[in-house]
Amino acid sequence: MTEKIMTDIFEKKHPLLITNVTVGGKCVDIFINETGTIAGMGEKERTKCKGEAEFIIDGDGAIALPGLVNTHTHAAMTLLRGYADDMILQDWLSQKIWPLEAHLTGDDVYNGTCLACLEMIRSGTTAFNDMYFFMADAARAVDESGMRAVLSYGFIDLFSAEKRENECKATENLVAHVRALNNPRIKAAVGPHAIYTVSPEGLKWCAEFAQDQKTGIHIHLSETEGEVNDCIARYGKRPSGLLDECAILTPRTIAAHCCWLDEPECTLLKKRGVHVSHNPSSNMKLATNRAMPYPHLFAAGVNVCLGTDGCASNNNLDLFEEVKAAALLQKFYWNNPTVLPAHDALLLATENGGTALGFGTGKLSVGTPADIVLVSTHTACNTPLHNADSNLVYSCNGGAVETTICDGKVLMLEREIPGESAIREQAARAAYELVNRTRNS
Ligand SMILES: [Zn+2]
């Protein structure tokens, strides 16, 4: 492919024909129209659509999947990758993460989020659910990257009425800012951090504001046993009960972690229509001592999806690795190799994530937005190919993704992403300067 074509294909959305890819075990072509929608998918598509396509991508036998959906992350924490590992959760936060975050700037968040988007595009993710600070700068990065994101400001009032006022203002500002961008790929959500960092008054305000503005809610729930015990001691009820009393549990809510839910809480989350984001790598790295109760959530019919959490506790954003971690952790913890089989594990990162974020993605079918990734079959990890789901979950990682398309726009083609080295260099410089500022303060 010539240099000229490579540049042009990245510039904007074009009507595209992808030939010779496998979807659900069948070899098909996929036609994407100029609005970024899958307009045709089938064996005869190339004869029907060839005239309309401005570009033809030869899939060369690749497996086509819906763009993966990361339903819990703190994208700009890529700058903290490898800065502090192997520590007790509270020490890790208070001695390492929080002092560094106190020196964060909007430019840092922009550079960190650009790096996160680059890493996600490289590993086949096209949409993510983000909670952090300086989110207008995160929005700028997402806009430029071509990805989709739901952005929430991390609301932390630490039980102070004065701080609460600032957090309400910051939340209102972000929702207004995102609305003014008028970019269908970016949505705002309300992000009450957790029950141990936000007062019941703060939680109630978040619930009302989200209801009023028709936005999602993004929260951490029952990550540690300590959180549950403190909640019972303080409020006389478990965390889900407290959140329900504050009206946080809704069909627009994504609750991350959920390691320490009991069975009645799983039933309550189903009743309220809450989506649960499983974060197995982060939970294992920080030793939460219990796996999210997938069998109970599955039995209750809760929509379970998948997230990487931030790069300080993972330490990458590769959802293929996360799918494998989820399948293995669930089997190991419940001492049962039949729990979370490959096909279902893959659904967590595709269809279920798409349902949670509400962009209409997560499935490949005619009429859906063209968020598509092509996974090469000409790789060691896909040889032999007895069972595609098995290889995708247990033997591949994001390195097997060749091409990433979001909303019909090509973001990576044959592993090439325009501007990649500049993004890496800027993020590395921002991370280095952030650490220096923190040390010298
Ligand atoms: Zn988190």
PDB file of all heavy atoms in Angstrom, residues 46-80:
ATOM      1  N   ARG A  46     -18.876  -7.960  -1.695  1.00  0.00           N
ATOM      2  CA  ARG A  46     -17.906  -7.260  -2.555  1.00  0.00           C
ATOM      3  C   ARG A  46     -18.480  -6.988  -3.944  1.00  0.00           C
ATOM      4  O   ARG A  46     -18.189  -5.963  -4.519  1.00  0.00           O
ATOM      5  CB  ARG A  46     -16.576  -7.999  -2.619  1.00  0.00           C
ATOM      6  CG  ARG A  46     -16.448  -9.149  -3.562  1.00  0.00           C
ATOM      7  CD  ARG A  46     -15.145  -9.871  -3.369  1.00  0.00           C
ATOM      8  NE  ARG A  46     -15.086 -10.530  -2.054  1.00  0.00           N
ATOM      9  CZ  ARG A  46     -14.035 -11.218  -1.620  1.00  0.00           C
ATOM     10  NH1 ARG A  46     -12.937 -11.284  -2.336  1.00  0.00           N
ATOM     11  NH2 ARG A  46     -14.070 -11.829  -0.445  1.00  0.00           N
ATOM     12  N   THR A  47     -19.325  -7.860  -4.447  1.00  0.00           N
ATOM     13  CA  THR A  47     -19.917  -7.597  -5.761  1.00  0.00           C
ATOM     14  C   THR A  47     -20.983  -6.510  -5.670  1.00  0.00           C
ATOM     15  O   THR A  47     -21.185  -5.732  -6.584  1.00  0.00           O
ATOM     16  CB  THR A  47     -20.538  -8.879  -6.358  1.00  0.00           C
ATOM     17  OG1 THR A  47     -21.363  -9.467  -5.368  1.00  0.00           O
ATOM     18  CG2 THR A  47     -19.505  -9.868  -6.814  1.00  0.00           C
ATOM     19  N   LYS A  48     -21.665  -6.432  -4.504  1.00  0.00           N
ATOM     20  CA  LYS A  48     -22.721  -5.435  -4.341  1.00  0.00           C
ATOM     21  C   LYS A  48     -22.163  -4.033  -4.101  1.00  0.00           C
ATOM     22  O   LYS A  48     -22.712  -3.049  -4.562  1.00  0.00           O
ATOM     23  CB  LYS A  48     -23.636  -5.820  -3.153  1.00  0.00           C
ATOM     24  CG  LYS A  48     -24.601  -6.938  -3.475  1.00  0.00           C
ATOM     25  CD  LYS A  48     -25.720  -6.999  -2.435  1.00  0.00           C
ATOM     26  CE  LYS A  48     -25.347  -7.980  -1.332  1.00  0.00           C
ATOM     27  NZ  LYS A  48     -26.266  -7.985  -0.209  1.00  0.00           N
ATOM     28  N   CYS A  49     -21.084  -3.928  -3.320  1.00  0.00           N
ATOM     29  CA  CYS A  49     -20.668  -2.618  -2.795  1.00  0.00           C
ATOM     30  C   CYS A  49     -19.380  -2.073  -3.378  1.00  0.00           C
ATOM     31  O   CYS A  49     -18.985  -0.957  -3.036  1.00  0.00           O
ATOM     32  CB  CYS A  49     -20.504  -2.682  -1.298  1.00  0.00           C
ATOM     33  SG  CYS A  49     -22.004  -3.181  -0.495  1.00  0.00           S
ATOM     34  N   LYS A  50     -18.729  -2.820  -4.236  1.00  0.00           N
ATOM     35  CA  LYS A  50     -17.395  -2.423  -4.681  1.00  0.00           C
ATOM     36  C   LYS A  50     -17.372  -1.014  -5.261  1.00  0.00           C
ATOM     37  O   LYS A  50     -16.485  -0.226  -4.972  1.00  0.00           O
ATOM     38  CB  LYS A  50     -16.848  -3.429  -5.690  1.00  0.00           C
ATOM     39  CG  LYS A  50     -15.339  -3.416  -5.748  1.00  0.00           C
ATOM     40  CD  LYS A  50     -14.823  -4.626  -6.473  1.00  0.00           C
ATOM     41  CE  LYS A  50     -13.293  -4.625  -6.441  1.00  0.00           C
ATOM     42  NZ  LYS A  50     -12.757  -5.814  -7.051  1.00  0.00           N
ATOM     43  N   GLY A  51     -18.383  -0.693  -6.009  1.00  0.00           N
ATOM     44  CA  GLY A  51     -18.426   0.615  -6.643  1.00  0.00           C
ATOM     45  C   GLY A  51     -18.532   1.766  -5.659  1.00  0.00           C
ATOM     46  O   GLY A  51     -18.032   2.849  -5.911  1.00  0.00           O
ATOM     47  N   GLU A  52     -19.177   1.526  -4.530  1.00  0.00           N
ATOM     48  CA  GLU A  52     -19.390   2.594  -3.555  1.00  0.00           C
ATOM     49  C   GLU A  52     -18.198   2.794  -2.622  1.00  0.00           C
ATOM     50  O   GLU A  52     -18.041   3.869  -2.046  1.00  0.00           O
ATOM     51  CB  GLU A  52     -20.613   2.270  -2.684  1.00  0.00           C
ATOM     52  CG  GLU A  52     -21.937   2.336  -3.429  1.00  0.00           C
ATOM     53  CD  GLU A  52     -23.061   1.862  -2.515  1.00  0.00           C
ATOM     54  OE1 GLU A  52     -23.257   2.456  -1.451  1.00  0.00           O
ATOM     55  OE2 GLU A  52     -23.699   0.860  -2.873  1.00  0.00           O
ATOM     56  N   ALA A  53     -17.387   1.758  -2.433  1.00  0.00           N
ATOM     57  CA  ALA A  53     -16.290   1.849  -1.464  1.00  0.00           C
ATOM     58  C   ALA A  53     -15.145   2.701  -1.996  1.00  0.00           C
ATOM     59  O   ALA A  53     -14.730   2.537  -3.133  1.00  0.00           O
ATOM     60  CB  ALA A  53     -15.791   0.449  -1.125  1.00  0.00           C
ATOM     61  N   GLU A  54     -14.657   3.629  -1.169  1.00  0.00           N
ATOM     62  CA  GLU A  54     -13.493   4.417  -1.571  1.00  0.00           C
ATOM     63  C   GLU A  54     -12.203   3.671  -1.270  1.00  0.00           C
ATOM     64  O   GLU A  54     -11.169   3.916  -1.878  1.00  0.00           O
ATOM     65  CB  GLU A  54     -13.495   5.765  -0.832  1.00  0.00           C
ATOM     66  CG  GLU A  54     -14.438   6.789  -1.462  1.00  0.00           C
ATOM     67  CD  GLU A  54     -14.510   8.073  -0.653  1.00  0.00           C
ATOM     68  OE1 GLU A  54     -13.540   8.406   0.044  1.00  0.00           O
ATOM     69  OE2 GLU A  54     -15.564   8.722  -0.726  1.00  0.00           O
ATOM     70  N   PHE A  55     -12.249   2.791  -0.254  1.00  0.00           N
ATOM     71  CA  PHE A  55     -11.080   1.985   0.088  1.00  0.00           C
ATOM     72  C   PHE A  55     -11.503   0.547   0.286  1.00  0.00           C
ATOM     73  O   PHE A  55     -12.601   0.281   0.784  1.00  0.00           O
ATOM     74  CB  PHE A  55     -10.414   2.470   1.381  1.00  0.00           C
ATOM     75  CG  PHE A  55      -9.687   3.772   1.230  1.00  0.00           C
ATOM     76  CD1 PHE A  55     -10.287   4.958   1.613  1.00  0.00           C
ATOM     77  CD2 PHE A  55      -8.403   3.807   0.696  1.00  0.00           C
ATOM     78  CE1 PHE A  55      -9.621   6.163   1.470  1.00  0.00           C
ATOM     79  CE2 PHE A  55      -7.734   5.005   0.550  1.00  0.00           C
ATOM     80  CZ  PHE A  55      -8.341   6.189   0.934  1.00  0.00           C
ATOM     81  N   ILE A  56     -10.617  -0.369  -0.082  1.00  0.00           N
ATOM     82  CA  ILE A  56     -10.856  -1.790   0.188  1.00  0.00           C
ATOM     83  C   ILE A  56      -9.733  -2.279   1.095  1.00  0.00           C
ATOM     84  O   ILE A  56      -8.544  -2.103   0.789  1.00  0.00           O
ATOM     85  CB  ILE A  56     -10.879  -2.611  -1.115  1.00  0.00           C
ATOM     86  CG1 ILE A  56     -12.040  -2.124  -1.991  1.00  0.00           C
ATOM     87  CG2 ILE A  56     -11.032  -4.099  -0.806  1.00  0.00           C
ATOM     88  CD1 ILE A  56     -12.026  -2.672  -3.397  1.00  0.00           C
ATOM     89  N   ILE A  57     -10.104  -2.819   2.233  1.00  0.00           N
ATOM     90  CA  ILE A  57      -9.118  -3.396   3.152  1.00  0.00           C
ATOM     91  C   ILE A  57      -9.182  -4.903   2.992  1.00  0.00           C
ATOM     92  O   ILE A  57     -10.243  -5.513   3.203  1.00  0.00           O
ATOM     93  CB  ILE A  57      -9.429  -2.998   4.620  1.00  0.00           C
ATOM     94  CG1 ILE A  57      -9.283  -1.477   4.806  1.00  0.00           C
ATOM     95  CG2 ILE A  57      -8.524  -3.750   5.580  1.00  0.00           C
ATOM     96  CD1 ILE A  57      -9.701  -0.965   6.171  1.00  0.00           C
ATOM     97  N   ASP A  58      -8.065  -5.507   2.605  1.00  0.00           N
ATOM     98  CA  ASP A  58      -8.020  -6.959   2.467  1.00  0.00           C
ATOM     99  C   ASP A  58      -7.848  -7.582   3.854  1.00  0.00           C
ATOM    100  O   ASP A  58      -6.788  -7.462   4.458  1.00  0.00           O
ATOM    101  CB  ASP A  58      -6.850  -7.346   1.546  1.00  0.00           C
ATOM    102  CG  ASP A  58      -6.736  -8.859   1.390  1.00  0.00           C
ATOM    103  OD1 ASP A  58      -7.607  -9.587   1.935  1.00  0.00           O
ATOM    104  OD2 ASP A  58      -5.765  -9.314   0.746  1.00  0.00           O
ATOM    105  N   GLY A  59      -8.910  -8.201   4.340  1.00  0.00           N
ATOM    106  CA  GLY A  59      -8.868  -8.792   5.682  1.00  0.00           C
ATOM    107  C   GLY A  59      -7.935  -9.988   5.796  1.00  0.00           C
ATOM    108  O   GLY A  59      -7.517 -10.345   6.879  1.00  0.00           O
ATOM    109  N   ASP A  60      -7.643 -10.633   4.665  1.00  0.00           N
ATOM    110  CA  ASP A  60      -6.656 -11.709   4.617  1.00  0.00           C
ATOM    111  C   ASP A  60      -6.948 -12.808   5.657  1.00  0.00           C
ATOM    112  O   ASP A  60      -6.034 -13.287   6.320  1.00  0.00           O
ATOM    113  CB  ASP A  60      -5.260 -11.094   4.837  1.00  0.00           C
ATOM    114  CG  ASP A  60      -4.151 -12.060   4.436  1.00  0.00           C
ATOM    115  OD1 ASP A  60      -4.429 -12.997   3.649  1.00  0.00           O
ATOM    116  OD2 ASP A  60      -3.009 -11.888   4.922  1.00  0.00           O
ATOM    117  N   GLY A  61      -8.213 -13.135   5.822  1.00  0.00           N
ATOM    118  CA  GLY A  61      -8.570 -14.239   6.731  1.00  0.00           C
ATOM    119  C   GLY A  61      -8.632 -13.863   8.199  1.00  0.00           C
ATOM    120  O   GLY A  61      -8.768 -14.732   9.069  1.00  0.00           O
ATOM    121  N   ALA A  62      -8.540 -12.571   8.505  1.00  0.00           N
ATOM    122  CA  ALA A  62      -8.563 -12.154   9.919  1.00  0.00           C
ATOM    123  C   ALA A  62      -9.925 -12.440  10.551  1.00  0.00           C
ATOM    124  O   ALA A  62     -10.929 -12.569   9.857  1.00  0.00           O
ATOM    125  CB  ALA A  62      -8.262 -10.663  10.032  1.00  0.00           C
ATOM    126  N   ILE A  63      -9.937 -12.507  11.895  1.00  0.00           N
ATOM    127  CA  ILE A  63     -11.203 -12.617  12.629  1.00  0.00           C
ATOM    128  C   ILE A  63     -11.682 -11.190  12.900  1.00  0.00           C
ATOM    129  O   ILE A  63     -10.934 -10.373  13.453  1.00  0.00           O
ATOM    130  CB  ILE A  63     -11.005 -13.345  13.975  1.00  0.00           C
ATOM    131  CG1 ILE A  63     -10.451 -14.756  13.750  1.00  0.00           C
ATOM    132  CG2 ILE A  63     -12.309 -13.390  14.765  1.00  0.00           C
ATOM    133  CD1 ILE A  63      -9.851 -15.383  14.995  1.00  0.00           C
ATOM    134  N   ALA A  64     -12.916 -10.873  12.460  1.00  0.00           N
ATOM    135  CA  ALA A  64     -13.476  -9.552  12.745  1.00  0.00           C
ATOM    136  C   ALA A  64     -14.299  -9.632  14.029  1.00  0.00           C
ATOM    137  O   ALA A  64     -15.137 -10.515  14.187  1.00  0.00           O
ATOM    138  CB  ALA A  64     -14.349  -9.079  11.591  1.00  0.00           C
ATOM    139  N   LEU A  65     -14.018  -8.693  14.937  1.00  0.00           N
ATOM    140  CA  LEU A  65     -14.743  -8.627  16.215  1.00  0.00           C
ATOM    141  C   LEU A  65     -15.287  -7.226  16.383  1.00  0.00           C
ATOM    142  O   LEU A  65     -14.746  -6.266  15.819  1.00  0.00           O
ATOM    143  CB  LEU A  65     -13.770  -8.847  17.383  1.00  0.00           C
ATOM    144  CG  LEU A  65     -13.227 -10.228  17.684  1.00  0.00           C
ATOM    145  CD1 LEU A  65     -12.256 -10.126  18.858  1.00  0.00           C
ATOM    146  CD2 LEU A  65     -14.363 -11.169  18.032  1.00  0.00           C
ATOM    147  N   PRO A  66     -16.348  -7.063  17.205  1.00  0.00           N
ATOM    148  CA  PRO A  66     -16.742  -5.694  17.554  1.00  0.00           C
ATOM    149  C   PRO A  66     -15.599  -5.048  18.337  1.00  0.00           C
ATOM    150  O   PRO A  66     -14.897  -5.743  19.072  1.00  0.00           O
ATOM    151  CB  PRO A  66     -17.952  -5.899  18.474  1.00  0.00           C
ATOM    152  CG  PRO A  66     -18.302  -7.342  18.438  1.00  0.00           C
ATOM    153  CD  PRO A  66     -17.125  -8.094  17.905  1.00  0.00           C
ATOM    154  N   GLY A  67     -15.391  -3.754  18.193  1.00  0.00           N
ATOM    155  CA  GLY A  67     -14.380  -3.060  19.001  1.00  0.00           C
ATOM    156  C   GLY A  67     -14.639  -3.350  20.467  1.00  0.00           C
ATOM    157  O   GLY A  67     -15.780  -3.322  20.920  1.00  0.00           O
ATOM    158  N   LEU A  68     -13.578  -3.673  21.218  1.00  0.00           N
ATOM    159  CA  LEU A  68     -13.766  -4.033  22.625  1.00  0.00           C
ATOM    160  C   LEU A  68     -14.125  -2.790  23.443  1.00  0.00           C
ATOM    161  O   LEU A  68     -13.818  -1.658  23.045  1.00  0.00           O
ATOM    162  CB  LEU A  68     -12.499  -4.688  23.186  1.00  0.00           C
ATOM    163  CG  LEU A  68     -11.976  -5.921  22.435  1.00  0.00           C
ATOM    164  CD1 LEU A  68     -10.853  -6.584  23.237  1.00  0.00           C
ATOM    165  CD2 LEU A  68     -13.066  -6.941  22.147  1.00  0.00           C
ATOM    166  N   VAL A  69     -14.804  -3.025  24.572  1.00  0.00           N
ATOM    167  CA  VAL A  69     -15.309  -1.928  25.405  1.00  0.00           C
ATOM    168  C   VAL A  69     -14.749  -2.065  26.820  1.00  0.00           C
ATOM    169  O   VAL A  69     -15.013  -3.059  27.504  1.00  0.00           O
ATOM    170  CB  VAL A  69     -16.859  -1.945  25.436  1.00  0.00           C
ATOM    171  CG1 VAL A  69     -17.385  -0.764  26.242  1.00  0.00           C
ATOM    172  CG2 VAL A  69     -17.437  -1.926  24.015  1.00  0.00           C
ATOM    173  N   ASN A  70     -13.990  -1.079  27.246  1.00  0.00           N
ATOM    174  CA  ASN A  70     -13.348  -1.060  28.569  1.00  0.00           C
ATOM    175  C   ASN A  70     -14.227  -0.232  29.506  1.00  0.00           C
ATOM    176  O   ASN A  70     -14.280   0.989  29.391  1.00  0.00           O
ATOM    177  CB  ASN A  70     -11.954  -0.445  28.419  1.00  0.00           C
ATOM    178  CG  ASN A  70     -11.140  -0.521  29.699  1.00  0.00           C
ATOM    179  OD1 ASN A  70     -11.663  -0.785  30.781  1.00  0.00           O
ATOM    180  ND2 ASN A  70      -9.847  -0.270  29.572  1.00  0.00           N
ATOM    181  N   THR A  71     -14.933  -0.901  30.428  1.00  0.00           N
ATOM    182  CA  THR A  71     -15.964  -0.191  31.194  1.00  0.00           C
ATOM    183  C   THR A  71     -15.496   0.374  32.539  1.00  0.00           C
ATOM    184  O   THR A  71     -16.307   0.900  33.287  1.00  0.00           O
ATOM    185  CB  THR A  71     -17.191  -1.091  31.439  1.00  0.00           C
ATOM    186  OG1 THR A  71     -16.741  -2.313  32.039  1.00  0.00           O
ATOM    187  CG2 THR A  71     -17.938  -1.370  30.156  1.00  0.00           C
ATOM    188  N   HIS A  72     -14.198   0.252  32.832  1.00  0.00           N
ATOM    189  CA  HIS A  72     -13.699   0.969  34.028  1.00  0.00           C
ATOM    190  C   HIS A  72     -12.212   1.252  33.884  1.00  0.00           C
ATOM    191  O   HIS A  72     -11.383   0.340  33.914  1.00  0.00           O
ATOM    192  CB  HIS A  72     -13.940   0.168  35.305  1.00  0.00           C
ATOM    193  CG  HIS A  72     -13.393   0.866  36.517  1.00  0.00           C
ATOM    194  ND1 HIS A  72     -13.890   2.084  36.951  1.00  0.00           N
ATOM    195  CD2 HIS A  72     -12.373   0.568  37.363  1.00  0.00           C
ATOM    196  CE1 HIS A  72     -13.209   2.476  38.012  1.00  0.00           C
ATOM    197  NE2 HIS A  72     -12.285   1.583  38.283  1.00  0.00           N
ATOM    198  N   THR A  73     -11.880   2.530  33.741  1.00  0.00           N
ATOM    199  CA  THR A  73     -10.457   2.885  33.725  1.00  0.00           C
ATOM    200  C   THR A  73     -10.275   4.318  34.207  1.00  0.00           C
ATOM    201  O   THR A  73     -11.239   5.057  34.437  1.00  0.00           O
ATOM    202  CB  THR A  73      -9.829   2.661  32.328  1.00  0.00           C
ATOM    203  OG1 THR A  73      -8.404   2.784  32.433  1.00  0.00           O
ATOM    204  CG2 THR A  73     -10.352   3.637  31.294  1.00  0.00           C
ATOM    205  N   HIS A  74      -9.017   4.652  34.426  1.00  0.00           N
ATOM    206  CA  HIS A  74      -8.616   6.020  34.738  1.00  0.00           C
ATOM    207  C   HIS A  74      -7.483   6.275  33.721  1.00  0.00           C
ATOM    208  O   HIS A  74      -6.318   6.023  34.019  1.00  0.00           O
ATOM    209  CB  HIS A  74      -8.129   6.121  36.180  1.00  0.00           C
ATOM    210  CG  HIS A  74      -9.064   5.472  37.157  1.00  0.00           C
ATOM    211  ND1 HIS A  74     -10.251   6.063  37.527  1.00  0.00           N
ATOM    212  CD2 HIS A  74      -9.019   4.275  37.804  1.00  0.00           C
ATOM    213  CE1 HIS A  74     -10.882   5.259  38.383  1.00  0.00           C
ATOM    214  NE2 HIS A  74     -10.159   4.169  38.553  1.00  0.00           N
ATOM    215  N   ALA A  75      -7.877   6.694  32.524  1.00  0.00           N
ATOM    216  CA  ALA A  75      -6.974   6.622  31.362  1.00  0.00           C
ATOM    217  C   ALA A  75      -5.642   7.329  31.588  1.00  0.00           C
ATOM    218  O   ALA A  75      -4.578   6.781  31.286  1.00  0.00           O
ATOM    219  CB  ALA A  75      -7.681   7.183  30.118  1.00  0.00           C
ATOM    220  N   ALA A  76      -5.674   8.536  32.158  1.00  0.00           N
ATOM    221  CA  ALA A  76      -4.433   9.315  32.272  1.00  0.00           C
ATOM    222  C   ALA A  76      -3.444   8.704  33.252  1.00  0.00           C
ATOM    223  O   ALA A  76      -2.289   9.131  33.328  1.00  0.00           O
ATOM    224  CB  ALA A  76      -4.759  10.755  32.671  1.00  0.00           C
ATOM    225  N   MET A  77      -3.869   7.684  33.998  1.00  0.00           N
ATOM    226  CA  MET A  77      -2.940   7.003  34.912  1.00  0.00           C
ATOM    227  C   MET A  77      -1.880   6.200  34.159  1.00  0.00           C
ATOM    228  O   MET A  77      -0.987   5.615  34.786  1.00  0.00           O
ATOM    229  CB  MET A  77      -3.689   6.111  35.902  1.00  0.00           C
ATOM    230  CG  MET A  77      -4.402   6.917  36.969  1.00  0.00           C
ATOM    231  SD  MET A  77      -5.182   5.887  38.233  1.00  0.00           S
ATOM    232  CE  MET A  77      -3.938   5.932  39.533  1.00  0.00           C
ATOM    233  N   THR A  78      -1.935   6.199  32.825  1.00  0.00           N
ATOM    234  CA  THR A  78      -0.818   5.635  32.047  1.00  0.00           C
ATOM    235  C   THR A  78       0.488   6.304  32.468  1.00  0.00           C
ATOM    236  O   THR A  78       1.548   5.675  32.424  1.00  0.00           O
ATOM    237  CB  THR A  78      -0.997   5.864  30.536  1.00  0.00           C
ATOM    238  OG1 THR A  78      -1.336   7.237  30.322  1.00  0.00           O
ATOM    239  CG2 THR A  78      -2.057   4.963  29.934  1.00  0.00           C
ATOM    240  N   LEU A  79       0.412   7.598  32.871  1.00  0.00           N
ATOM    241  CA  LEU A  79       1.633   8.310  33.279  1.00  0.00           C
ATOM    242  C   LEU A  79       2.242   7.690  34.541  1.00  0.00           C
ATOM    243  O   LEU A  79       3.409   7.900  34.833  1.00  0.00           O
ATOM    244  CB  LEU A  79       1.344   9.797  33.546  1.00  0.00           C
ATOM    245  CG  LEU A  79       0.853  10.649  32.372  1.00  0.00           C
ATOM    246  CD1 LEU A  79       0.886  12.123  32.749  1.00  0.00           C
ATOM    247  CD2 LEU A  79       1.688  10.431  31.112  1.00  0.00           C
ATOM    248  N   LEU A  80       1.439   6.959  35.306  1.00  0.00           N
ATOM    249  CA  LEU A  80       1.903   6.364  36.577  1.00  0.00           C
ATOM    250  C   LEU A  80       2.290   4.894  36.407  1.00  0.00           C
ATOM    251  O   LEU A  80       2.580   4.208  37.378  1.00  0.00           O
ATOM    252  CB  LEU A  80       0.804   6.489  37.647  1.00  0.00           C
ATOM    253  CG  LEU A  80       0.650   7.838  38.352  1.00  0.00           C
ATOM    254  CD1 LEU A  80       0.251   8.931  37.385  1.00  0.00           C
ATOM    255  CD2 LEU A  80      -0.384   7.753  39.462  1.00  0.00           C
TER     256      LEU A  80
END
